[in-house]
Amino acid sequence: MAQRVSRFHRILLWLASLDFAVFGLGFYLAPLSFNALLGVPTPDPIAVRALGGFLLGGAVAALLAAINASWSEARIVTLSLITWNLLNTAGMAFDLLVNDGPAGLWPNVAITAFFGITLAIAYGRGPRDS
């Protein structure tokens, strides 16, 4: 029998794909305006646009993993999303707490922490038989 991800895991992948798509489109199509909306300075719009492209790729990967729901395919995507979200949480929190970064980063810290932790929980629970 093929091993499949749990319903909880699939819901998280769907939500992550939506989150990555919103931020990816914002950063890719309008890096200056989107960062201004978040209250974050944009010293390098090209780097922000590249980040948007990466996020759009992550959105597609999460969406395909959620649709397929096969553990063998969702495992790598989930590990990538966990790593991305937890590293970003740590980096932004450090900037906010140590470097007195822009307060507009707090919602991003909350979102990345949520997805990093909940996807890690879903990954730790592992697959189930279909």
Side-chain angles (χ1 to χ4, degrees), residues 7-23 55 58-59 62-63 66-67 81 85 111 114-115 118-119:
R7 181 175 295 154
F8 172 66
H9 196 154
R10 287 183 73 191
I11 290 169
L12 289 173
L13 289 170
W14 280 102
L15 290 173
S17 68
L18 179 64
D19 175 54
F20 272 45
V22 169
F23 281 88
L55 289 172
L63 181 65
I67 289 170
L81 293 174
N85 283 292
I111 290 168
F114 170 78
F115 281 117
T118 55
L119 282 167

Side-chain angles (χ1 to χ4, degrees), residues 39-86:
V40 178
T42 309
D44 187 356
I46 295 170
V48 174
R49 183 166 279 132
L51 172 64
F54 172 80
L55 289 172
L56 289 173
V60 170
L63 181 65
L64 292 174
I67 289 170
N68 187 313
S70 169
W71 177 251
S72 61
E73 295 174 12
R75 184 176 64 86
I76 298 298
V77 171
T78 302
L79 287 172
S80 172
L81 293 174
I82 291 168
T83 304
W84 165 257
N85 283 292
L86 292 180

Side-chain angles (χ1 to χ4, degrees), residues 82-101:
I82 291 168
T83 304
W84 165 257
N85 283 292
L86 292 180
L87 286 176
N88 276 326
T89 298
M92 288 185 292
F94 179 82
D95 190 49
L96 283 164
L97 299 173
V98 174
N99 298 330
D100 198 30

